[in-house]
Amino acid sequence: MDSCATIARYGHRLSATACLDLDSREPMADKLRDDYNTRRVTMATQTASVTPWIQISDYSPENWTAERARACCDRLESNQILFFARPPFPFSGTDRAYFLAQKSSDSRLHKNVSYRPASDVLRGFGGDDRSSRLMHDTMRNYSLQVVGFVKNLLTPYASKLQLDYASFRPIEEEGRDLPLHKRNDLLHVDAFPSRPTRGGRILRVFTNISEKARVWITTDRFPALAERFAREAGLPKIAATSGWRGVRHLLHSVGVPIPDRSAYDEFMLYFHDWLKENSRFQSECVKEQIDFPPMSTWLVYTDGVPHAVLSGQYALEQTFIVPREALVKPQVSPIRVLEELAGAVLAG
Ligand code: SIN
Ligand code: FE
């Protein structure tokens, strides 16, 4: 067995141990816990420096304080995953049963269903008017509940959050036959070709509504990855285009119909593909496996936490764009990490 496979196996074993530790230290269970240091020591000999998640067990909309909300933003922005054992927003057994009854073999469902809250539009679900209306209503309700929850959990973001798409993922992820750049079983950081963020961050809320675990792998977080690979992946060349992109942005903002993508967005899109194409990185990087149990919910900045989903079926997800001015720790955001490395402004 090669050393990478050994590390991956250790990663799996250690992550299982850490989860047990979290569960067994009940006196701490009602606190927002950061076991980062413990895990760094535990894992020092395996060189991994990631932590599986921070479990939150005491959240309720009534008792949440500004201090706790800010601490959650801080942890998320530091590329940690916040974990809830059950959905922390209203989600009925009826809705779960409805989603689980959708069979991926059904011709109406051959890919993910998406819902756009800003325009109230459902995509990716065929079928007659009645069944489309039911899916639309159920997705709208899910999205509304998650938005309400996130605004309450992360109050520093509440007034500035941009609602992106929600999705229902009914397809088994293991063995999906997708083109390379669309494969989600390869490690990557997220970037959306049609929705540039200009340095805003991509926050996603997942709920595993299946009866089996959803299995992810992660590796070192964005700052370490960028430090190691950004130059090789073409950051200097893309940073050099920042000037004319700035001019285009100004023209675009006064109504000239030209494409408007910042150097930051260009690099993040390129890096997404570059990581997936890089078989050496995919096979040799340190990996940690995370098994998200049935009915767990997790929040994660997927532009800062490289991830791949190895298996799992039936998940719901809502995405938000958190603009730069809402971040509580902008100095560690991917745009700032890249600007530091490039010595240039990447979204003027
Ligand atoms: C992704 O790569 O963004 C998808 C992760 C998942 O569906 O669990
Ligand atoms: Fe992704």
Side-chain angles (χ1 to χ4, degrees):
M1 184 184 302
D2 67 30
S3 61
C4 181
T6 312
I7 289 166
R9 270 168 27 96
Y10 275 125
H12 186 192
R13 198 158 59 76
L14 284 167
S15 87
T17 310
C19 302
L20 284 176
D21 279 348
L22 287 178
D23 290 344
S24 62
R25 292 188 343 235
E26 266 313 307
M28 290 285 285
D30 62 342
K31 291 274 173 263
L32 173 65
R33 244 184 338 245
D34 179 359
D35 65 334
Y36 185 68
N37 292 327
T38 322
R39 287 195 42 84
R40 273 183 75 92
V41 172
T42 318
M43 298 183 79
T45 51
Q46 276 84 46
T47 68
S49 60
V50 289
T51 176
W53 58 49
I54 295 170
Q55 180 158 359
I56 300 183
S57 316
D58 65 334
Y59 169 78
S60 84
E62 299 78 35
N63 73 3
W64 205 236
T65 63
E67 199 188 351
R68 297 292 306 274
R70 203 176 168 80
C72 282
C73 296
D74 181 291
R75 292 293 142 212
L76 283 167
E77 290 177 38
S78 305
N79 297 319
Q80 306 226 28
I81 298 172
L82 297 190
F83 174 90
F84 295 79
R86 318 296 303 168
F89 48 84
F91 183 67
S92 70
T94 314
D95 283 1
R96 183 185 185 198
Y98 168 74
F99 283 120
L100 294 185
Q102 310 297 317
K103 296 291 165 233
S104 50
S105 53
D106 188 323
S107 60
R108 290 174 311 178
L109 263 191
H110 48 273
K111 54 179 188 153
N112 294 339
V113 175
S114 78
Y115 172 70
R116 303 178 178 190
S119 50
D120 190 30
V121 166
L122 186 77
R123 287 272 162 87
F125 188 77
D128 57 35
D129 278 3
R130 196 160 155 269
S131 57
S132 299
R133 207 169 320 116
L134 185 54
M135 176 60 83
H136 198 149
D137 289 349
T138 316
M139 286 299 290
R140 181 191 302 110
N141 181 51
Y142 157 74
S143 173
L144 275 171
Q145 297 300 347
V146 178
V147 171
F149 155 68
V150 166
K151 286 187 172 171
N152 197 58
L153 181 82
L154 307 174
T155 40
Y157 299 159
S159 62
K160 300 181 193 113
L161 275 180
Q162 293 164 15
L163 301 193
D164 199 75
Y165 303 167
S167 62
F168 167 48
R169 300 161 176 250
I171 320 276
E172 170 57 57
E173 297 290 343
E174 189 171 3
R176 275 183 86 170
D177 184 20
L178 291 168
L180 186 108
H181 291 163
K182 289 199 187 318
R183 278 178 57 181
N184 279 340
D185 60 331
L186 294 171
L187 282 160
H188 63 282
V189 282
D190 284 344
F192 304 135
S194 59
R195 282 111 69 213
T197 72
R198 305 191 69 78
R201 298 203 60 182
I202 300 173
L203 176 65
R204 306 184 91 172
V205 181
F206 290 87
T207 298
N208 176 15
I209 60 170
S210 152
E211 276 147 12
K212 58 177 187 160
R214 194 168 188 86
V215 178
W216 275 25
I217 49 171
T218 65
T219 184
D220 287 335
R221 302 315 197 220
F222 186 84
L225 226 55
E227 167 98 34
R228 196 159 152 221
F229 296 120
R231 276 188 195 88
E232 199 186 323
L235 178 64
K237 215 164 145 196
I238 293 175
T241 65
S242 206
W244 59 258
R245 286 174 190 279
V247 175
R248 247 180 19 189
H249 178 59
L250 280 179
L251 292 172
H252 183 90
S253 58
V254 296
V256 181
I258 47 171
D260 177 26
R261 185 181 284 160
S262 68
Y264 170 73
D265 292 295
E266 190 71 26
F267 178 78
M268 291 303 276
L269 275 177
Y270 191 76
F271 200 44
H272 167 275
D273 292 352
W274 189 89
L275 289 172
K276 286 188 179 179
E277 284 163 14
N278 191 328
S279 52
R280 182 144 185 234
F281 162 71
Q282 295 290 336
S283 65
E284 291 181 6
C285 71
V286 170
K287 297 176 188 68
E288 183 173 53
Q289 182 170 320
I290 308 182
D291 295 2
F292 293 105
M295 293 313 278
S296 59
T297 291
W298 60 105
L299 286 81
V300 53
Y301 273 114
T302 53
D303 51 8
V305 178
H307 56 283
V309 54
L310 300 188
S311 65
Q313 197 179 357
Y314 296 116
L316 289 164
E317 171 271 338
Q318 169 72 57
T319 300
F320 301 85
I321 305 298
V322 182
R324 294 176 73 175
E325 60 273 19
L327 297 171
V328 306
K329 233 176 166 179
Q331 67 277 18
V332 301
S333 63
I335 191 167
R336 290 283 284 275
V337 169
L338 294 173
E339 286 182 338
E340 193 90 356
L341 288 171
V345 171
L346 298 178

